[in-house]
Amino acid sequence: MRVLLTGGAGFIGRHVLNELLRRGHSVRVLDSLRPDVHADGKTNSLDAELMVADVRDSAAIDRALVGIEAVLHLAAKVGLGVAVSDLPDYASSNDAGTAELLAGMARAGVNRLTLASSMVVYGEGIGHCPEHGPVRPAPRNEAALAAGNFEPPCPHCGRPLEAALVTEDAPLDPRNAYASSKLAQEFYASNWARVTGGSVAALRYHNVYGPGMPRDTPYAGVAAIFTSALRRGEAPKVFEDGRMRRDFVHVRDVAAATVRACEAHRDGVRAFNVGSGTPRTVGEMARALAETLKGPVPVVTGHYRLGDVRHITADSSRLRDELGWSPQVDFSDGMAELARL
């Protein structure tokens, strides 16, 4: 296929590009090289045609879509978005940018979209209450967090909830600016598909790590932050009590899932969780990295951010059952690889 890959010069985008090329596809990359991600403005020699432009530029979108059969849309402002002042940039970069891309696809008659979404659209996901069963956790509040009560409460009785795997049918509950913008992208894509008859595979990535992770920037994930600290000889600082559950999935597995969805999903709108299927705590990751890099023992700080979620872990069986994907990189092997970088 002739594919347009937006955000193809970024962390995940580079791995998706490699996977597309490995599978014989022809790729055009569209990337704005935004300075908060690409500080030096360099792309380190992409093995594909590169257009340096913003997805909000409708004329550039029209040029980029010439001859294209399918679009993989990864370009986005990422991060948590904890400040109210972040809202305009998320809304413009992610929501308006996606709207411009979809409008351009309609003009060009391109009807296949693979969208990089995120597990953050679930908020706290689903928890299990001993009395009320599966429930959506109540919002965490500042006073409880400050007192060290980190587990989200049952909205009915206030008891702490047990974490549970989240399926794609779980209630959507974005709790920060980035999450709201990713969910808006999914809604815009659904609107586009309804009008044009196009297909959308929305891939809800979980916590992605691996070679090429951004470091020491607002875009760095927790694995990159811990690794950077350890390489400076500092102990990783783990928020809350370190028991937050996540699904850490290797970037090559994410790339394989993304390309597989582009190739195989051709009808309607479908969301797919992309995770390893093995929940781990943030503290476990910090300890694994510290042991692998032979660095200081992690320090649990008790600090918190109100926009963070406590637990969010995926049930990725839909992706496995419907598209034939499964993760290939073991967690311990992935940690060892990070140590060698």
Side-chain angles (χ1 to χ4, degrees), residues 2-50:
R2 179 72 172 162
V3 173
L4 175 65
L5 172 61
T6 75
F11 164 43
I12 299 175
R14 287 177 171 276
H15 289 272
V16 172
L17 172 59
N18 290 339
E19 183 69 8
L20 284 166
L21 296 174
R22 188 185 72 80
R23 297 179 67 86
H25 300 293
S26 177
V27 186
R28 177 180 296 145
V29 170
L30 177 74
D31 200 299
S32 67
L33 302 182
R34 46 183 302 158
D36 47 0
V37 180
H38 303 275
D40 56 8
K42 297 178 181 178
T43 60
N44 297 323
S45 65
L46 294 178
D47 294 325
E49 176 189 354
L50 172 64

